[in-house]
């Protein structure tokens, strides 16, 4: 009866979201993507030597600790050939279709077709320009951990190569996507600031907010385009690192809509070919202003020491 049940209990509070106080507290072990077995739609599914190689590189990532240099990988001739093929193809399209920030930062890196860049070297360049660092990871990281890492100016990057049978395609992030798509942009201060703000918004965010931020990340860092006068240029890594997607963008293959971080974002599509829609920024500074305003509407509190650690006033 009501009497025997005693006074009503306050509703059980939702499990508190853990806010990491430094990058060491961001877990890089919860990987959502492919396990060692891959799956039927992965180009390396039937190639046991490939799976072993990929797992070996993933194991190195799992063993890595912040502060240690990122292990150098001796890439095989096949792996270098894949890298070289993609680099050569993209070199034909990027000068015309990548944003000016990308092209400026690209020159810092001096990529060569006969050598896969080492994450440790790239991380050093980024640290010198924007303070961003690279942390190796074994695959698609849990969105909360991935986004939290950005708050601490840490970009989690895979280090294994896509399968040699499909230089133009990968169903998961790989070192080509990270190095060509993400790394140069992270050397640009305005872009780096925007990315860090997405990360800061994720600290202590609830699951719904994490999902919204995942979509904002998708429609900006992965598939964003930016206005340059009358032109539209690519800054999203999913465009910059894909010959097909770049041509699709250049041909006006997707509709363009201004990015509005307060609006619900469209469903993301990973698998059905090229993007049907790109979100447009007027500039990275304008995108950052929007994100700051969005952060101010999030009602969770970030502990003071974390606010200081990430440079929030
Ligand atoms: N993990 N390694 C890696 N690379 C990404 O680009 C990535 C990720 N985990 C989640 C993720 N991207 C997005 O779904 C957003 O949550 C940011
Ligand atoms: Fe990516």
């Amino acid at each position: 009866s009501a009497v025997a049940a005693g006074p009503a209990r306050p509703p059980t509070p939702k499990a508190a979201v853990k806010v990491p106080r430094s990058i060491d507290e961001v877990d890089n072990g919860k990987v959502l993507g492919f396990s060692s077995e891959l799956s039927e739609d992965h180009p390396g599914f039937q190639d046991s030597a490939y799976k072993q190689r990929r797992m070996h590189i993933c194991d190195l990532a799992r063993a890595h600790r912040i502060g240690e240099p990122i292990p150098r990988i001796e890439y095989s001739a096949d792996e270098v050939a894949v890298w070289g093929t993609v680099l050569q193809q993209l070199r034909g399209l990027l000068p015309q279709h990548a944003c000016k920030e990308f092209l400026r930062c690209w020159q810092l890196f001096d990529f060569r077709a006969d050598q896969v860049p080492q994450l440790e070297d790239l991380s050093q360049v980024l640290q010198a320009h924007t303070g961003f660092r690279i942390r190796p990871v074994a695959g698609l990281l849990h969105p909360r951990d991935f986004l939290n890492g950005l708050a601490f100016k840490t970009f989690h990057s895979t280090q294994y190569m896509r399968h040699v049978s499909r230089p133009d395609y990968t169903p998961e992030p790989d070192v080509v996507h990270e190095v060509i798509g993400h790394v140069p942009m992270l050397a640009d201060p305005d872009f780096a600031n925007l990315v860090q703000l997405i990360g800061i918004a994720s600290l202590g965010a609830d699951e719904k907010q994490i999902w919204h931020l995942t979509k904002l990340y998708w429609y900006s860092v992965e598939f964003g385009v930016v206005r340059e006068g009358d032109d539209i240029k690519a800054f999203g890594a999913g465009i910059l690192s894909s010959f097909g997607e770049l041509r699709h963008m250049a041909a006006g293959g997707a509709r363009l809509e201004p990015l509005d971080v307060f609006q619900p974002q469209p469903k993301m599509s990973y698998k059905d070919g090229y993007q049907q829609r790109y979100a447009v920024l007027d500039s990275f500074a304008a995108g950052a202003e929007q994100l700051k305003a969005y952060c101010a509407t999030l009602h969770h509190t970030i502990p003071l020491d974390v606010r200081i650690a990430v440079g929030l006033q």
Side-chain angles (χ1 to χ4, degrees):
S1 76
V3 175
R9 286 194 200 158
T12 14
K14 283 195 197 150
V17 173
K18 186 173 177 286
V19 180
R21 283 173 159 63
S22 72
I23 187 60
D24 305 84
E25 292 183 17
V26 176
D27 185 357
N28 75 337
K30 272 187 285 171
V31 167
L32 302 175
F34 297 96
S35 70
S36 57
E37 269 316 298
L38 303 183
S39 66
E40 283 171 53
D41 54 358
H42 193 296
F45 177 59
Q46 301 211 29
D47 182 342
S48 59
Y50 176 79
K51 285 192 272 195
Q52 253 183 27
R53 172 68 169 162
R54 182 182 168 286
M55 272 321 277
H56 168 66
I57 295 174
C58 288
D59 288 343
L60 292 176
R62 278 191 204 94
H64 178 263
R65 294 292 165 264
I66 294 283
E68 295 170 0
I70 303 169
R72 290 176 187 275
I73 306 291
E74 212 175 292
Y75 289 99
S76 70
D78 267 1
E79 289 170 329
V80 175
V82 172
W83 158 260
T85 301
V86 182
L87 182 67
Q88 301 284 33
Q89 280 187 338
L90 291 172
R91 273 186 175 147
L93 287 179
L94 290 170
Q96 211 188 330
H97 302 298
C99 68
K100 58 182 190 293
E101 292 83 355
F102 177 89
L103 295 172
R104 194 173 53 75
C105 294
W106 180 258
Q107 296 174 14
L108 300 172
F109 293 97
D110 234 357
F111 295 142
R112 296 166 38 167
D114 63 353
Q115 199 173 62
V116 182
Q118 296 291 336
L119 295 186
E120 176 61 26
D121 298 334
L122 303 176
S123 188
Q124 299 284 342
V125 176
L126 291 183
Q127 284 176 69
H129 282 84
T130 58
F132 256 83
R133 99 188 94 196
I134 295 173
R135 185 190 201 189
V137 71
L140 203 62
L141 193 58
H142 188 284
R144 178 184 298 281
D145 299 325
F146 184 83
L147 292 166
N148 283 354
L150 300 174
F152 298 98
K153 291 193 169 188
T154 302
F155 186 79
H156 287 87
S157 169
T158 56
Q159 203 172 12
Y160 52 78
M161 184 66 65
R162 60 191 60 184
H163 194 255
V164 65
S165 66
R166 296 292 308 277
D168 57 337
Y169 170 79
T170 169
E172 59 177 345
D174 80 323
V175 69
V176 174
H177 167 77
E178 317 281 24
V179 170
I180 296 182
H182 289 293
V183 168
M185 288 305 304
L186 289 169
D188 179 74
D190 288 336
F191 179 80
N193 181 43
L194 182 154
V195 174
Q196 189 191 13
L197 283 165
I198 299 179
I200 289 172
S202 80
L203 294 173
D206 65 28
E207 292 304 313
K208 249 182 89 172
Q209 292 161 342
I210 290 288
W211 187 238
H212 181 63
L213 291 165
T214 293
K215 288 178 157 185
L216 291 183
Y217 181 90
W218 181 263
Y219 286 111
S220 56
V221 181
E222 290 295 345
F223 289 104
V225 297
V226 61
R227 217 171 274 292
E228 280 182 17
D230 291 336
D231 293 331
I232 291 293
K233 305 280 183 169
F235 73 88
I239 311 176
L240 293 168
S241 67
S242 161
F243 189 75
E245 188 79 38
L246 260 177
R247 269 196 317 200
H248 175 70
M249 185 209 85
R255 71 179 189 283
L256 303 174
E257 288 171 2
L259 183 73
D260 182 344
V261 306
F262 293 97
Q263 290 306 309
Q265 300 296 308
K267 190 171 171 286
M268 300 174 288
S269 73
Y270 294 77
K271 295 208 166 168
D272 17 321
Y274 302 130
Q275 298 296 304
Q276 296 308 302
R277 174 237 189 210
Y278 296 126
V280 188
L281 282 183
D282 286 329
S283 69
F284 301 128
E289 284 310 312
Q290 276 199 58
L291 275 162
K292 270 188 208 152
Y294 174 74
C295 284
T297 68
L298 300 176
H299 296 298
H300 54 263
T301 50
I302 302 173
L304 184 62
D305 55 343
V306 179
R307 299 176 69 88
I308 291 167
V310 300
L312 259 187
Q313 292 79 12

